[in-house]
Amino acid sequence: QSCPPTRPGFLNVHLVPHTHDDVGWLKTVEQYFYGGGCPRHRGGGGGLSPGRGGGIPKATAAPAGTKVTPPRLPWGWFFFSARPAWGRRDAKCQRWSLFFHGGRAGRLEFVGGGWCMSDEAAAHYDPAIEQLALGRRFLRQEFGACGTPRVAWQIDPFGHSRQLAAIFAQMGYDGLFVGRVDYQDKATREELREMEMLWRASGSLPPPTADLFTGILPNVYNPPSGFCWDQLCSDPPVVDEDSEENNVDSIVSTFLQIATSQAERYRTNHIIMTMGSDFHYENANLWFKNMDKLIAHVNARQANGSRVHVLYSTPSCYLWELHQANLSWSLKTDDFFPYADGPHQFWTGYFTSRPAFKRYERLSNNFLQICSQLEALAGPAAREGPYGPGDSSVLREAVAVAQHHDAVTGTEKQHVADDYARQLAAGWESCQLLAANALASLSGSKENFVFCNALNISVCPLTETAGHFTVTLYNPLGRPVSWPVRLPVNGASYAVTDPQGQPVPSEVVPISNFTRRLRGDSSSATRELLFQASVPALGFSTFTVSRLSRRDPRAPPAWTQVVSQPREIQNEHIRVLFDPLTGHLKEIQNLDKSISLPVFQSFYWYNASVGNDESSQASGAYIFRPNSSEPIPVSSSKRVSAHLVKNALVQEVHQNFSSWCSQVVRLHAGQPYVELEWTVGPIPVADGWGKEIISRFETTLQTDARFYTDSNGRQILERRRNYRPTWNLSQTEPVAGNYYPVNSRIFIKDKKFQLTVLTDRSQGGSSIFDGSLELMVHRRLLYDDNRGVGEPLVELGANKQGLVVRGRHLVLLDTVESAADQHRLLAQEMFMAPYPVLAPGGGSSYRHGQPSLRQFSALRQQLPPNVHLLTLTPWDAGTLLLRLEHQFERGESANGSQPVTVDLLNLFSAFTIISVQEMSLGADLPLHAISRLVWTPATGPARPRPVPKLDPSQVTLQPMEIRTFLATVQYKVPG
């Protein structure tokens, strides 16, 4: 209704003025917001400053006697809009007033809707949903229905995922516009006039649930060549006065040629041109003055027979005209990875770049979900309790910012990466107060809670010094878990008791040399205490630990064995064999299924291309380009140093590949998978070569050039080496051109068996030859790849000698038919891991007369295995936001892929659900209010299904379905 008129029978050119304001990249978000830091992309409110000198348009500057419809500015950077410094809800603040009234008056069009423009390769689907919901909620609160974005605006991410497209569709978006697609893909689509298509983003959800109209922009997100009029640009302005500089005829003729050429690559008589770029419109008058003139003079040619009509437009108005064309559109079912902008420029390095930050982002979201759950379970007591005011919003916003396509990707400058980590750390602090308040309220005991954030390197002052302490392990999953607890200690023997006071088997092992080197002088602990903790669904268990004297009769006999040249480790489910001559892993056996598979695993590096002249391309933060297809073994000899540590709870083979690369191959008792804990760094570069480190697995599986990776941790996509489903690939980089994002898992299989590797963070991965798979775990590079960040990916780390990274790979061997039953549940357990909170014990009662609880579950019964509790968080007063998801795809498991029904009303024990309303995935609209444009694929129409009436006592989930609810709840009166 608010779109400008177009002209039938003409080529309508939609000029879309826009500013691309990264939430951090070359400068921190604060520097961009206030205009500090380096002079490039000064920021300081560019794009939304008052008047036509800023970004929100008012009147036009068209020549006298011409009529130009006033423009609107698309805006999609709601982290900046929600900043307190904008004077939120303060009419006296000019910037906020302008934004608020500009939005209400239609001078702005909200696009994207998220807190940031998220990445699509390294971002997990959980925080991707959260950051979109955060931005959409802000818009709903400030602008009501007028603030609902209709168009997903992903114009800069370096490739595009099928799962994120499915998320956009389920949030109610009418369409998606993208800027970056592979140069070969784009050339093919231009020739076939398939730059706009219908993307079927799920093979499990019934069409058109996850169908999303998708358009590829002609110039990434930049203006046509010669038509950039920002103060950062150098193109000549439109001079239309009586001057020897008058260039109207030249500019109009050039523009008409560009428009006509672009129209030949698109299907309708409507085309789009993006008029803006990074941090443009700080001085918007330059842009609008020249665009006003361009529109007027191009349209004036119509009097002489021109059939081109130019207008100010917006993404949603352009999309509306495409819908009105009533065409059928080609159907896409794969994704847009990997992305390359030239023959040797594959943007596959960022899948791994900054691996420590990628892990920190993953851990931060894990803790955010725990914080949100505890706040929902404890109610107001979590926010105002004995430990001070708790708040999850700081971490929620920091995790949302971390999804930005120059944050979790690792493609920002080093000081910006440090700032992202600082924001996350501040969020952890406020969330820990909330968690302490909630645990005290739920347990009935005010303990001196301690959060040990460096347990991955065995640092925790309390456990290292105390003779007595408690461990409260919180489980955020909707099913019970058995979790190995590992704590740094100095005693030789400890007694551990469970919540019922029963003894729990425990062992004390020496801290490995790998860990000693990693932590430096930050800890004095010489040993680690191990025990297996059982925790109920959505709840906690508290364990008591006491150091024993050598004479204490409870002290177990020390029988931890250390053996050189290990041959095997084995538990009830798995046997792992090692070559006694080389020390390498050589075979994995699944004892439950009587499966045996030769598996060789080792570490290698690719030497990074240096790009020392214009004709070559260097590896950098974005681009992966090895100088050879053959990697170099990290171990200089065929043998790796190895020894076995073995006791009743765990068996470990410690492998040393070099002074900077080591690994522990671990089997816990009862564990049906192999754990590989790797430690890599500092990567040596004194030889002048940057290096990209991989862990490679070689098997005898006949894989026929196929392997499989996840999409944002959820859907699984088949990959084929040197192949793309939608065009005939000319492969110019046999390694980098076959790398794909691995957010949570990668696997290979033949007709019988499947080898799956789960990751604890996003990494790049591939299968470079049949029977193999590899994951890139770390990178250290000496040259910039010339894609804008302007510095090499060196990462010196805390000691300035080079970053050391530690991580885990979990390896599963199973039959093809049963593999999903294992990897689906285990991947969620890695992503939503239990969290330990420690205390010295002896805390006072939370409320007078309230008994203390040492074990608690917020569920009346555990969730079925194929159902995952995706979200449980406070919303408005007395309401909680709840998301349940079916975590299996259609057809991948005989049992797991079946529909499943849950009784919401009788699910929780911590509160009573009074009423339930089903919402869209973004939680800002009731599900019945979602009304999307219906597009027709070339394969035939698929009509939306009506929303069934909700019965909260029988909520059925189909494969890959996520259902979102707002529940009004009543908490139990404590006593």
Side-chain angles (χ1 to χ4, degrees), residues 710-729:
D710 65 278
S711 178
N712 305 110
R714 200 153 192 265
Q715 299 184 56
I716 303 296
L717 278 70
E718 181 186 271
R719 312 298 192 180
R720 288 174 58 185
R721 194 163 54 252
N722 300 328
Y723 173 82
R724 302 292 187 267
T726 49
W727 81 92
N728 292 324
L729 174 68

Side-chain angles (χ1 to χ4, degrees), residues 17 413 415:
K413 284 186 177 291
H415 80 282

Side-chain angles (χ1 to χ4, degrees), residues 83-284:
R83 294 272 299 161
W86 275 58
R88 187 173 175 185
R89 299 185 180 90
D90 184 357
K92 296 180 181 179
C93 175
Q94 189 178 22
R95 182 155 48 184
W96 170 254
S97 179
L98 183 70
F99 175 72
F100 182 79
H101 292 295
R104 285 289 178 97
R107 308 280 10 111
L108 294 171
E109 173 172 297
F110 299 134
V111 295
W115 213 237
C116 66
M117 185 181 294
S118 72
D119 174 56
E120 302 196 34
H124 191 276
Y125 74 95
D126 183 335
I129 291 172
E130 290 272 358
Q131 76 88 19
L132 280 168
L134 183 63
R136 291 177 67 97
R137 188 182 189 194
F138 165 76
L139 289 174
R140 190 73 179 180
Q141 290 172 335
E142 302 300 336
F143 298 98
C146 296
T148 303
R150 307 290 304 190
V151 171
W153 189 244
Q154 293 287 105
I155 58 176
D156 195 23
F158 327 128
H160 303 281
S161 77
R162 189 165 76 165
Q163 180 57 45
L164 200 62
I167 288 170
F168 284 130
Q170 292 171 84
M171 285 194 178
Y173 290 86
D174 287 322
L176 162 69
F177 288 103
V178 301
R180 298 187 187 275
V181 298
D182 185 278
Y183 76 105
Q184 293 185 50
D185 188 8
K186 185 177 181 181
T188 301
R189 291 185 177 280
E190 287 178 334
E191 183 178 351
L192 299 175
R193 302 183 78 181
E194 292 184 353
M195 292 285 280
E196 292 155 337
M197 71 213 80
L198 191 64
W199 195 352
R200 181 150 292 164
S202 174
S204 297
L205 299 174
T209 305
D211 288 0
L212 187 67
F213 184 88
T214 301
I216 301 170
L217 298 173
N219 303 300
V220 187
Y221 56 85
N222 299 308
S225 178
F227 293 85
C228 184
W229 290 307
D230 195 79
Q231 63 187 24
L232 299 173
C233 305
S234 57
D235 292 339
V238 179
V239 180
D240 58 356
E241 299 177 357
D242 186 12
S243 167
E244 62 183 20
E245 297 292 322
N246 187 300
N247 58 1
V248 168
D249 286 345
S250 172
I251 282 184
V252 170
S253 296
T254 300
F255 182 85
L256 290 174
Q257 291 174 3
I258 292 173
T260 302
S261 175
Q262 182 177 324
E264 294 173 352
R265 303 190 291 274
Y266 290 80
R267 292 185 61 198
T268 74
N269 64 324
H270 294 268
I271 60 172
I272 187 173
M273 292 184 182
T274 47
M275 306 300 283
S277 192
D278 293 341
F279 290 88
H280 281 196
Y281 290 81
E282 187 176 347
N283 182 354

Side-chain angles (χ1 to χ4, degrees), residues 12 154 306 335 424 857:
N12 292 273
Q154 293 287 105
S306 171
D335 63 4
L424 291 173
S857 174

Side-chain angles (χ1 to χ4, degrees), residues 585-588 596-600 698-701 755 771 813:
L585 187 155
K586 72 171 186 178
E587 186 175 321
I588 299 175
S596 178
L597 181 67
V599 179
F600 174 85
E698 302 176 24
T699 77
T700 56
L701 293 175
L755 185 76
L813 174 64

Side-chain angles (χ1 to χ4, degrees), residues 168-479:
F168 284 130
Q170 292 171 84
M171 285 194 178
Y173 290 86
D174 287 322
L176 162 69
F177 288 103
V178 301
R180 298 187 187 275
V181 298
D182 185 278
Y183 76 105
Q184 293 185 50
D185 188 8
K186 185 177 181 181
T188 301
R189 291 185 177 280
E190 287 178 334
E191 183 178 351
L192 299 175
R193 302 183 78 181
E194 292 184 353
M195 292 285 280
E196 292 155 337
M197 71 213 80
L198 191 64
W199 195 352
R200 181 150 292 164
S202 174
S204 297
L205 299 174
T209 305
D211 288 0
L212 187 67
F213 184 88
T214 301
I216 301 170
L217 298 173
N219 303 300
V220 187
Y221 56 85
N222 299 308
S225 178
F227 293 85
C228 184
W229 290 307
D230 195 79
Q231 63 187 24
L232 299 173
C233 305
S234 57
D235 292 339
V238 179
V239 180
D240 58 356
E241 299 177 357
D242 186 12
S243 167
E244 62 183 20
E245 297 292 322
N246 187 300
N247 58 1
V248 168
D249 286 345
S250 172
I251 282 184
V252 170
S253 296
T254 300
F255 182 85
L256 290 174
Q257 291 174 3
I258 292 173
T260 302
S261 175
Q262 182 177 324
E264 294 173 352
R265 303 190 291 274
Y266 290 80
R267 292 185 61 198
T268 74
N269 64 324
H270 294 268
I271 60 172
I272 187 173
M273 292 184 182
T274 47
M275 306 300 283
S277 192
D278 293 341
F279 290 88
H280 281 196
Y281 290 81
E282 187 176 347
N283 182 354
N285 184 58
L286 293 174
W287 262 114
F288 288 123
K289 178 177 66 176
N290 283 283
M291 285 191 292
D292 288 347
K293 293 179 180 181
L294 177 70
I295 292 171
H297 290 298
V298 170
N299 289 346
R301 290 278 186 101
Q302 295 169 12
N304 298 324
S306 171
R307 306 295 291 177
V308 176
H309 179 68
V310 189
L311 63 149
Y312 281 120
S313 189
T314 68
S316 66
C317 290
Y318 174 66
L319 186 70
W320 174 254
E321 294 295 343
L322 297 182
H323 184 262
Q324 292 298 100
N326 199 28
L327 301 176
S328 60
W329 303 89
S330 61
L331 191 68
K332 179 180 179 64
T333 58
D334 59 325
D335 63 4
F336 287 101
F337 286 116
Y339 164 62
D341 60 0
H344 305 289
Q345 291 81 26
F346 282 87
W347 295 41
T348 54
Y350 80 94
F351 301 159
T352 296
S353 294
R354 302 197 187 279
F357 181 75
K358 281 179 165 64
R359 177 59 179 160
Y360 192 32
E361 178 274 331
R362 187 67 58 90
L363 285 171
S364 297
N365 182 74
N366 189 171
F367 190 55
L368 171 63
Q369 300 310 316
I370 288 172
C371 243
S372 299
Q373 290 181 4
L374 285 170
E375 186 178 4
L377 299 178
R383 294 182 288 277
E384 296 293 338
Y387 306 95
D391 185 7
S392 61
S393 66
V394 180
L395 185 56
R396 188 177 311 280
E397 293 179 11
V399 171
V401 167
Q403 306 315 305
H404 171 57
H405 61 269
D406 283 309
V408 69
T409 54
T411 55
E412 66 275 30
K413 284 186 177 291
Q414 182 62 56
H415 80 282
V416 180
D418 295 341
D419 185 67
Y420 288 137
R422 180 197 60 79
Q423 292 182 56
L424 291 173
W428 277 74
E429 290 181 7
S430 57
C431 243
Q432 285 171 351
L433 287 176
L434 187 150
N437 286 333
L439 287 173
S441 173
L442 294 170
S443 69
S445 181
K446 289 190 289 186
E447 298 287 347
N448 183 18
F449 290 117
V450 175
F451 297 84
C452 290
N453 297 327
L455 286 176
N456 67 318
I457 56 171
S458 293
V459 176
C460 181
L462 174 64
T463 64
E464 294 170 34
T465 58
H468 178 91
F469 58 88
T470 64
V471 181
T472 298
L473 194 64
Y474 179 82
N475 171 26
L477 293 174
R479 64 180 189 275

